[in-house]
Amino acid sequence: MISKLGIYVQVPFCQTKCTYCNFHTGVVASSRFAPYVEAVCREIREHRELLKAAGVGWGSGIDEKAHSQDSSRPDLATGQRGLCHEDVVDTVYIGGGTPSLLDSGHLQNILDAVRETFAGNLEEVTLEADPETVAAEKAAAWARAGINRVSFGLQSFADKELIAAGRMHRRADIYRAVPILREAGVGNISFDLIAGLPHQTKESWRQSLGELAALAPEHVSVYLLEIDEGSRLGKELLQGGGRYSAGAVPSEDEMAESYEIAQEALGAAGYHHYEISNWAKPGFESRHNLKYWRREPYLGFGAGAHSFSGTERWANAHDAAAYAAAVQSGRLPVEQHEKLTTESALEEELFLGLRQLDGIDVGRIERQYGVTLGGRFERIASAGLVEREGSLVRLAPEKLSVSNEVFVELLR
Ligand code: SF4
């Protein structure tokens, strides 16, 4: 099977900094957007030359294998079958940050650059958006540009939680934004919720899930709150203080319980749980994100964007201004460049594969990598962490909320 390429575009700008977040995103003047977008478009158009000059093996190994060998034969170093993905794209994901802050013309320019550079139909084009940034004219322009999926960072329907987390939107913005998108013709909407925001209670969590189900988005992601140590909330947790509601952060057990409540509520509302953090109405699983878990190739553009060729992983430098200046001078600031060993490819295969609720086919992996995994799985199966069905192994449904523990056990 030939994998089509996914394109990720990173837009590292936000209106403000959420209290729990320490991502490499900046709150900058909007005059900084245009030069950044120009650099991203140049990186897209000149990616082959830029990657070659940066020493990344894009366009050298994989294509040759695909053309010269039996493409059904896997590459042992990567577990990938021969790929012929260099020029054929079917998904684009514009993430951030808050990419919906950009002018719609900027988004159009980025998608034009993708269409001019790659072949294929852009079947799924996702834009991450915050509800307060949605307006009728913008949404119509997004749809005209080919954006057919909007992923909303809602996090909660409770204003008290949104305020404490430093989010810009309020519950009312969600109810204003969704009809605007529907009116513009966006038929695929995803909502993100966070379990464990400060001040969240079991009741407010159930209320958020209920309001979400009533709005009937096609896709839902539920994340457990992760507090970066360098964020304002993280520092308050470590050093004390009352400004960011550190004392009102639910415990890990409460978060795990919230996850289980979400599993039940979303299942009852007709959502199919297909990945640890993701649920979808039938046929609305994120095609782009599935590529990450299936180890299919993707190219990331923009500051801090990650890429995977099937044999190598790399990332661009994070600083947006330095990234833009480098690309405009004809150089790609690549860092974290890693050529995968067979061992690291196998580990990825297990951890990324097990994130999917369908599980992994251990027999296929053993054949592909020439290894025996039976012992490893027997141990965690007898501890009740995974279920086995013939050659298939999947996380036990009641262990999904503690999946990290399962992964640690698997590594031992
Ligand atoms: S909008 Fe997202 S990226 Fe920006 S500060 Fe908030 S959590 Fe971080």
Side-chain angles (χ1 to χ4, degrees), residues 48 56-64 85-86 309:
R48 281 178 177 267
V56 175
W58 184 259
S60 50
I62 299 175
D63 256 2
E64 283 160 25
H85 56 70
E86 289 278 313
S309 69

Side-chain angles (χ1 to χ4, degrees), residues 13-14 16-18 20-23 25 96-98 130 167:
F13 307 123
C14 292
T16 179
K17 204 79 186 164
C18 302
Y20 52 87
C21 174
N22 197 27
F23 287 169
T25 57
T98 310
D130 279 0
R167 303 290 307 185

Side-chain angles (χ1 to χ4, degrees), residues 136-167:
E137 253 176 55
K138 257 174 134 178
W142 293 348
R144 280 197 302 277
I147 290 163
N148 55 18
R149 183 171 185 273
V150 170
S151 176
F152 266 139
L154 298 191
Q155 321 314 2
S156 168
F157 282 79
D159 281 351
K160 188 173 180 184
E161 296 166 26
L162 294 170
I163 292 167
R167 303 290 307 185

Side-chain angles (χ1 to χ4, degrees), residues 233-356:
L233 181 55
K235 286 182 187 151
E236 190 170 282
L237 276 171
L238 292 171
Q239 296 159 9
R243 192 158 173 207
Y244 302 114
S245 306
V249 174
S251 68
E252 280 186 19
D253 284 351
E254 286 168 323
M255 283 190 219
E257 200 182 332
S258 294
Y259 179 89
E260 282 156 19
I261 291 171
Q263 273 181 293
E264 202 184 307
L266 293 171
Y271 291 92
H272 160 58
H273 194 181
Y274 71 102
E275 196 269 349
I276 289 177
S277 306
N278 290 282
W279 285 256
K281 290 275 169 77
F284 286 95
E285 293 80 8
S286 165
R287 289 177 58 174
H288 182 84
N289 289 342
L290 279 168
K291 291 180 200 282
Y292 300 148
W293 306 312
R294 292 177 176 167
R295 300 187 72 251
E296 292 174 6
Y298 53 89
L299 267 181
F301 298 107
H306 287 248
S307 301
F308 175 55
S309 69
T311 54
E312 300 181 28
R313 289 190 183 276
W314 68 95
N316 289 344
H318 278 112
D319 185 277
Y323 155 84
V327 171
Q328 292 300 28
S329 68
R331 189 179 64 80
L332 191 62
V334 168
E335 56 184 30
Q336 299 172 32
H337 182 194
E338 182 192 6
K339 295 186 183 177
L340 294 178
T341 60
T342 305
E343 206 175 311
S344 54
L346 172 61
E347 275 187 10
E348 287 185 5
E349 187 94 47
L350 298 178
F351 298 133
L352 294 173
L354 276 174
R355 290 193 63 89
Q356 300 168 80

